[in-house]
Amino acid sequence: MNDIHGNNGSLGNPRGIGDLLDVAVERAVPVVRALPDGRLEAATPCAEFDVKALVNHLFQVMEQFQRLAAKQDSDFTESPDRVAEGPDWRERFGEEARKLVAAWSAPGAEEGTTGAMNMPAATVGSMVLLDLTVHIWDLARATGQEYVPEGEALAVVERLAGTVAELAPTARSMGVFGEAVPEPAGASAFERLLAATGRDPRWAAPVS
């Protein structure tokens, strides 16, 4: 998914991508740790993926965006089945997430350009921040968990609101975002963000 680079933080207190990723990961890891084996084939709000496929997608994203932080080439052509590699995949997810935070916290990670499209590195960093926020909500909703950004996580939502606004036209044309859906009455800032990416903020798992 995708991002912005101009709005680094809230209320005049800039926060780097590494810092914001640290906040997002602190909320992502418990959701992944709580994913039950019996729900790996469950549908998610991201229609392209069931739970297992979405976890594997996030592994791929975290691995490749570490490379992008270091201004190295990335390869998104294949998504290995990390879940099938062993029952410790939840712990490995947490380890990979910490490596991602470290990569984007390194000096110079947000400077210059990176990736095949030579995008601003800060924009690319915000893209992975979006994945580690919105896709974690997808997993939480698919498995009956609560995921409501509060406290420090509101700075992540603020950053990503600008990200989605900037990249939405291109992202929709490429099929990365769906068409925006109507916001529910009294929508929170996070629910507005979800709606802008084409998600129903009140999505519920189908009853089997």
Side-chain angles (χ1 to χ4, degrees):
M1 293 197 131
N2 314 10
D3 142 67
I4 183 176
H5 69 281
N7 179 19
N8 255 1
S10 61
L11 302 178
N13 182 24
R15 302 184 69 170
I17 290 296
D19 187 19
L20 293 173
L21 275 171
D22 188 49
V23 172
V25 164
E26 283 296 320
R27 287 152 178 78
V29 168
V31 171
V32 173
R33 189 179 296 129
L35 295 175
D37 288 336
R39 297 289 293 167
L40 291 178
E41 296 182 0
T44 74
C46 188
E48 181 180 354
F49 300 108
D50 63 14
V51 169
K52 179 183 177 182
L54 188 49
V55 171
N56 282 326
H57 172 69
L58 285 173
F59 265 108
Q60 178 198 39
V61 164
M62 292 190 295
E63 291 163 359
Q64 297 304 320
F65 274 83
Q66 290 174 54
R67 298 181 60 83
L68 290 168
K71 310 298 191 291
Q72 298 174 355
D73 292 336
S74 59
D75 182 2
F76 290 91
T77 57
E78 295 184 9
S79 182
D81 190 349
R82 301 300 187 199
V83 173
E85 291 176 357
D88 63 339
W89 58 268
R90 296 171 183 82
E91 289 71 26
R92 285 186 280 114
F93 184 96
E95 293 167 2
E96 207 65 48
R98 293 296 166 207
K99 292 178 185 177
L100 179 72
V101 172
W104 282 97
S105 299
E110 292 187 57
E111 298 174 3
T113 62
T114 190
M117 297 177 66
N118 287 319
M119 296 177 68
T123 298
V124 173
S126 291
M127 291 167 64
V128 72
L129 179 64
L130 185 60
D131 267 21
L132 264 292
T133 302
V134 172
H135 279 325
I136 294 300
W137 177 85
D138 290 333
L139 292 172
R141 295 296 289 183
T143 56
Q145 300 184 58
E146 288 294 322
Y147 184 84
V148 180
E150 297 174 328
E152 284 190 307
L154 294 177
V156 174
V157 174
E158 180 183 350
R159 171 77 178 231
L160 294 180
T163 296
V164 172
E166 180 177 330
L167 296 188
T170 300
R172 290 194 181 106
S173 70
M174 296 175 64
V176 177
F177 293 169
E179 291 298 320
V181 302
E183 300 169 2
S188 66
F190 185 54
E191 288 175 326
R192 292 195 297 272
L193 174 68
L194 294 170
T197 69
R199 287 165 170 77
D200 175 2
R202 306 292 166 84
W203 186 93
V207 178
S208 57

